[in-house]
Structure formats: structure tokens, C-alpha cells
Amino acid sequence: MQSDWGGAVVEMPTRIEKLQAHAGHLLDAFIQLRERYALLEPMLFNQDVASARGSGPQARGFRILKNSLFLSCAQDIAKLLTDRYETTPSIGNLIRALADDALRAELKDQFAQRRTVHVEKENDPEILEVLRKWELLEEVGRREQFDALHLEATRLWARLSTSPLVNGFRTIRDTVTAHTEVRFVADKYQLVDVATLGIKWGDLRVVIKDMQRLVELLGQLIRTAGFAWEVLDAQLEKASSGFWGQPRA
């Protein structure tokens, strides 16, 4: 599909290209969530950090920063998991897009029909024939791999999207961070108490871990691309320990 814009012909992105762009933006946004959580985690679980920075003249600032980072992470979790706006690169939107059989079949073809450099550059007819037969076997295996990855993604999404934890994070986003909601309790209005939502500090780590696997799966299914999570882990460890001035527990 093409469109005229200022005399130039512009090629409009296909649905696959839009989906791939959203998957890329999702990865970027999730990395930002990981960055925030990397600074927050030592405040929650490193006793040396809590003792050194969370008492005395720094105590109030430490508490403000901890709560702000927690609420920011909670808001990101809700947004990246459950937002339904068409322009939002959320996990839920991408999972729902993959429910389209025709779209998924196109993505499976893209995933399966990758060609190796050896096949592209080989000139010897006999060797090329052997490599082509090998590629056909590899393609069958990649189609099976695609289906297995999609099944894992849908099952993980089904479990995570209905989790009380995710509902709690969504409530934080909708009533505490996006809007300062008050409720009428015992003849007076009170701000929503996060503690009543059943969310604990450690729940962030649990949900982020599941989200990372979903982001990884969607990257493979939609973009046929992996990500060097170990490198990111090392970078965030260095940034966090550098900020707090000591290794994390």
C-alpha cells in the first residue's frame, strides 16, 4: 500500500512490519523497567544498603526514592503487560495479534525459512544439494520450534495475565499512580493503601522474570531475534553497585 505525501510516494508498513516495530519497542521499554528495578532491588533486599542509606539524615530521602521506584516499576509492569491501546507495544497486544492464524503462519514461514550463509555462498552443485536437503530438515525443525515457542508464550501469558499479582499492579497503575484515587472508608476519605492490594516487595522480581521470558519469546516469534540477557544483567549489576557503592547481596 502506498500513499502520496508532499509529492513523494511512501511505502506504508505491512502488518508484520508494524508488529515487528512494536516488539522492538516492547524490548526497549522492558529494558528501561529492568534499569529502574536494578536500582530498586538493593534498597529492598541488601541489608548493607538499607542500613547505610536508610537511616539517619538520609532515611526520608531513601524512603521517598524507594517508594517512587516501586510505584514506577508497578506502573511499567501494568502498562507493558496489559495496555490495550492500539499504539501501545504491550505483551497482551502482541499475544492477541499472534492469535490470528494467517498472521502467525506468515511469521512461522519467516522463522522457518532462514537461510544460512553457507547455502547462500556455496557454488559447488553437489555440496549445494546436500546443504539444501539439510536446510529442508532444519526448516521442519524450526517450524516445530516456532509452534513450541508460541505454545509456551500463550500458556505463560494465560497464567500471568490472570494472576492476582498482575491485577494488583494494574490497580496501582489505575488508582495510585495514574490517578490519586480516594475511597470512602469509615466515614472519611482515604488514599488507596498499596499494602491492601496484596503486593509484596518480592513480587516485583517474580513478575519481571516472567515478563522477561515473554519478551524473549515474542522477540523470537515476531522478529526472529534473540537478546543477550546475560550482557544486560552484567551491565545493570555494574550500574547498580556503582551507584550504591558496593556489590549487591
Side-chain angles (χ1 to χ4, degrees):
M1 182 178 180
Q2 295 180 335
S3 172
D4 252 331
W5 181 257
V9 177
V10 179
E11 192 73 24
M12 300 299 288
T14 65
R15 189 180 177 190
I16 291 287
E17 289 170 338
K18 289 181 180 178
L19 205 61
Q20 289 171 335
H22 276 210
H25 292 317
L26 173 66
L27 174 62
D28 292 340
F30 180 73
I31 289 172
Q32 291 177 352
L33 168 60
R34 283 286 315 273
E35 289 173 339
R36 293 187 185 96
Y37 182 70
L39 288 183
L40 173 63
E41 190 175 43
M43 305 178 80
L44 304 177
F45 303 113
N46 188 313
Q47 190 56 51
D48 292 337
V49 169
S51 298
R53 305 295 184 89
S55 59
Q58 302 178 89
R60 185 171 183 178
F62 184 88
R63 186 173 65 253
I64 291 170
L65 179 59
K66 181 176 73 172
N67 289 339
S68 295
L69 283 171
F70 173 78
L71 291 175
S72 178
C73 287
Q75 186 168 359
D76 283 348
I77 286 171
K79 177 179 69 175
L80 296 180
L81 275 173
T82 65
D83 267 10
R84 284 179 169 266
Y85 297 109
E86 242 181 74
T87 56
T88 301
S90 71
I91 290 173
N93 278 346
L94 295 180
I95 290 288
R96 283 185 286 275
L98 288 174
D100 183 308
D101 292 339
L103 179 68
R104 197 170 65 255
E106 190 174 345
L107 287 170
K108 187 194 288 191
D109 287 342
Q110 173 183 280
F111 185 90
Q113 293 172 3
R114 304 193 300 276
R115 290 290 179 263
T116 66
V117 175
H118 299 294
V119 172
E120 293 171 353
K121 293 189 173 182
E122 184 58 57
N123 293 318
D124 186 296
E126 291 185 7
I127 296 177
L128 189 58
E129 182 61 25
V130 171
L131 289 174
R132 281 176 175 163
K133 288 180 180 179
W134 175 256
E135 279 293 327
L136 288 174
L137 292 174
E138 286 288 299
E139 182 178 328
V140 171
R142 286 194 289 265
R143 288 183 181 279
E144 293 174 351
Q145 182 187 7
F146 183 94
D147 289 337
L149 292 172
H150 180 245
L151 180 61
E152 181 184 352
T154 53
R155 286 177 173 174
L156 180 52
W157 169 248
R159 176 173 63 79
L160 191 58
S161 62
T162 57
S163 164
L165 292 182
V166 172
N167 289 332
F169 287 124
R170 188 186 299 116
T171 300
I172 291 174
R173 191 274 307 271
D174 293 343
T175 65
V176 180
T177 55
H179 308 284
T180 305
E181 181 176 293
V182 293
R183 296 178 180 177
F184 193 67
V185 179
D187 299 327
K188 63 179 180 179
Y189 285 99
Q190 297 179 347
L191 292 175
V192 174
D193 183 359
V194 173
T196 65
L197 301 176
I199 299 293
K200 302 186 292 293
W201 296 123
D203 293 335
L204 279 171
R205 180 190 289 166
V206 172
V207 174
I208 288 173
K209 180 180 178 182
D210 283 342
M211 287 177 68
Q212 179 166 308
R213 180 56 181 162
L214 278 168
V215 170
E216 181 178 20
L217 290 167
L218 290 168
Q220 292 176 305
L221 292 167
I222 295 171
R223 300 170 64 225
T224 318
F227 186 77
W229 296 107
E230 297 84 359
V231 175
L232 177 65
D233 291 342
Q235 292 172 343
L236 295 182
E237 174 73 26
K238 182 178 180 180
S240 179
S241 60
F243 181 81
W244 292 112
Q246 58 184 345
R248 288 160 52 185

